[in-house]
Amino acid sequence: MTLDELTAAFQKLYGGQPRIYRAPGRVNLIGEHTDYNKGFVMPAAINFSTWVAVTKRDDSVVKIHSDIFEEDAEIDLANSAAHGRKHWSDYPLGVAIKLKEAGHNIYGANLFVHGEVPLGSGLSSSAAIEVSTGLALLDISGVKIDRLGLAKICQMAENEFVGARTGLMDQFIACFGKADHAVMLDCRSLESRALPVPDDVKLVVCNTMVKHELASSEYNARREQCEEGVRILSQHLPNVTSLRDVTPDDVEKFRAELGEVIFKRCLHVTTENDRVLKAADALRDRDLKTFGKLMYESHNSLRDDYEVSCQELDVMVDLAKPIKGVFGVRMTGGGFGGCTINLVSVEAVGEFTESIRNSYVQATGKQSGVYICSAADGAGRIQ
Ligand code: GLA
C-alpha cells in the first residue's frame, strides 16, 4: 500500500487529512529470552513496518481500523477497561490507556492501521503497532516524551493490558533501530551500541508459517521459571537479583537444588548472555564464521535447554545449514513457531531462497515465507 493509498483509505473511512507514522518489525540476531532476565540482546529493525494514519477527535474516543483484520475497535479513554479482551486491538488501545494512566493528556483519535509485518511470526508485529500508535497519539495530542519512555509504556501495555510478560527488546528496537546496523542492548543499564551489519551478508528471514501465540501461557511460564531460579540461587549467592548476575558455572554448581527444568532454563539464559558478548566482538571484527557458530549454539540451547523451538523451526535450521553461503541460522523471537534468521552471503541469497523454499515444502508439506531483509531505522513520522 502506498502513502497515497493509505491516505485515501483513511479518508474514505473517517474523512480529514491524516498524519502518518511508521514503526518497524525486528529480527533478533542473537540473545533470546535474555531481555526479561536483564541480559543482552542484539536485534535489528527490519524493512517491514506498521503504518498508522491518524487525526484528532473532539471527544475522548479512540477508534481504530485494521486493514489486515478488516475490523474496527474503539475505547473511550474517559472510561476504559483495565485489561484487554484477547483481540488484536488490545495492543494499540492498551498503549492509549497506558499513556493516559501515565498522566499524559491524550486526545481522542481516529486511527487506520496498515500492517506489513507478518503476524504471529516472531517479527514483533505487536511492538510495531504499539510504537506507531503511541507516536501517533502523542504527536496529535501535542505531548512530548522521550523514546525510551515511549518504549517502556508500550511494554507496560503488553505486560499489563495484553497480559504477556514480555521484555523491552521489541519496543526498544522499534524506537531505536538504525539502518544497516544491529543494536546490542544491555537490558539492565539500557545502554546500547549500534554494530554495523557487514555489507557482504544479508539478513534472510524464513517463516515456518507456524503461528505462535506469545500471550500463551508458555512464554509467561518460562519467565516464572527464571524467577524461581533467581529465588533459589540468591539463597546461596546473595548478590544475585536476576540471571544476569549468574554464570553458567553457578548454575552447574546448584544443579541438584534447582531441579532439572529450572536448571536447563537458567543454563540457557546464562550461556546465551555469554554468546551475545562474543557475537558482538565477532561482528566488530567482521568474523562471520564465529558469529554463525554462536547462532547455531544459540538455537541448540533454545531447543534443548529453554525448550521454545518446534519441529518446523528445527527443520528450517537443519535445511539451511548446509546451503552454500550460509554463515549461521537460528530461530528468532519468542519461539513455538515463527521464523529463523539466516546470515547469508549476498551472492548466495538467490540460490539460498530457492533451495530453502523447495526443501521446506518437501520436508513439511508447508509453504514457507522467505524475506530478504535489511536493517532499518526506528519509528518516525512520515507525513
Ligand atoms: C518476544 C518478547 C521479547 C523477548 C523475545 C524472546 O519477542 O516480546 O521481549 O523476550 O520474545 O527473546
Side-chain angles (χ1 to χ4, degrees), residues 74-119:
E74 67 175 66
I75 45 151
D76 188 340
L77 286 176
N79 177 24
S80 49
H83 299 288
R85 53 190 177 107
K86 308 255 173 279
H87 190 251
W88 63 267
S89 63
D90 293 349
Y91 296 89
L93 297 181
V95 171
I97 290 167
K98 289 295 163 190
L99 283 168
K100 182 98 187 175
E101 279 177 13
H104 302 299
N105 186 20
I106 298 299
Y107 297 153
N110 291 327
L111 300 153
F112 188 108
V113 182
H114 168 62
E116 271 173 5
V117 187
L119 300 178

Side-chain angles (χ1 to χ4, degrees), residues 5-288:
E5 284 165 351
L6 177 55
T7 304
F10 180 95
Q11 289 176 333
K12 195 163 164 223
L13 190 64
Y14 301 113
Q17 185 61 39
R19 295 184 191 176
I20 296 179
Y21 302 79
R22 67 164 265 285
R26 64 102 188 89
V27 67
N28 189 18
L29 301 193
I30 195 159
E32 219 66 83
H33 289 276
T34 44
D35 61 350
Y36 52 84
N37 289 302
K38 304 226 183 301
F40 301 102
V41 292
M42 199 192 291
I46 53 174
N47 50 321
F48 287 88
S49 288
T50 295
W51 305 78
V52 174
V54 63
T55 52
K56 192 166 103 181
R57 290 172 60 93
D58 294 330
D59 56 17
S60 52
V61 173
V62 178
K63 284 197 180 202
I64 188 156
H65 175 87
S66 154
D67 70 341
I68 291 193
F69 293 99
E70 296 180 353
E71 216 182 27
D72 304 303
E74 67 175 66
I75 45 151
D76 188 340
L77 286 176
N79 177 24
S80 49
H83 299 288
R85 53 190 177 107
K86 308 255 173 279
H87 190 251
W88 63 267
S89 63
D90 293 349
Y91 296 89
L93 297 181
V95 171
I97 290 167
K98 289 295 163 190
L99 283 168
K100 182 98 187 175
E101 279 177 13
H104 302 299
N105 186 20
I106 298 299
Y107 297 153
N110 291 327
L111 300 153
F112 188 108
V113 182
H114 168 62
E116 271 173 5
V117 187
L119 300 178
S121 55
L123 300 178
S124 197
S125 56
S126 46
I129 195 172
E130 288 159 11
V131 170
S132 51
T133 304
L135 270 185
L137 291 174
L138 286 167
D139 214 21
I140 56 144
S141 306
V143 177
K144 293 209 181 326
I145 63 174
D146 65 32
R147 281 189 169 229
L148 188 56
L150 174 60
K152 286 180 175 171
I153 284 181
C154 291
Q155 182 200 10
M156 206 183 283
E158 196 153 333
N159 289 175
E160 294 174 9
F161 194 76
V162 176
R165 298 183 61 213
T166 50
L168 187 61
M169 168 169 72
D170 303 347
Q171 294 80 6
F172 184 93
I173 194 69
C175 288
F176 292 101
K178 184 168 176 199
D180 304 323
H181 289 72
V183 178
M184 157 131 161
L185 171 66
D186 176 338
C187 298
R188 178 148 70 186
S189 67
L190 298 183
E191 276 164 18
S192 64
R193 188 152 55 101
L195 299 162
V197 177
D199 52 14
D200 45 352
V201 281
K202 283 281 179 198
L203 307 178
V204 184
V205 172
C206 295
N207 193 342
T208 61
M209 296 296 182
V210 177
K211 299 251 172 186
H212 70 163
E213 220 343 297
L214 252 196
S216 78
S217 51
E218 287 296 325
Y219 185 96
N220 288 350
R222 292 299 178 286
R223 194 164 173 167
E224 276 158 29
Q225 289 161 345
C226 292
E227 286 163 357
E228 178 64 4
V230 170
R231 202 187 57 71
I232 296 169
L233 290 165
S234 64
Q235 288 167 3
H236 301 278
L237 308 163
N239 293 330
V240 167
T241 56
S242 71
L243 290 181
R244 167 67 177 274
D245 304 315
V246 177
T247 65
D249 284 347
D250 296 331
V251 178
E252 292 285 357
K253 192 166 162 201
F254 298 105
R255 179 173 189 157
E257 198 162 335
L258 288 166
E260 205 50 23
V261 171
I262 310 264
F263 163 76
K264 289 205 289 185
R265 306 300 187 247
C266 296
L267 192 63
H268 165 71
V269 173
T270 51
T271 56
E272 185 79 349
N273 278 332
D274 287 351
R275 282 187 286 272
V276 181
L277 294 174
K278 287 186 189 143
D281 289 347
L283 207 52
R284 181 200 57 205
D285 301 341
R286 298 176 68 98
D287 177 358
L288 295 172

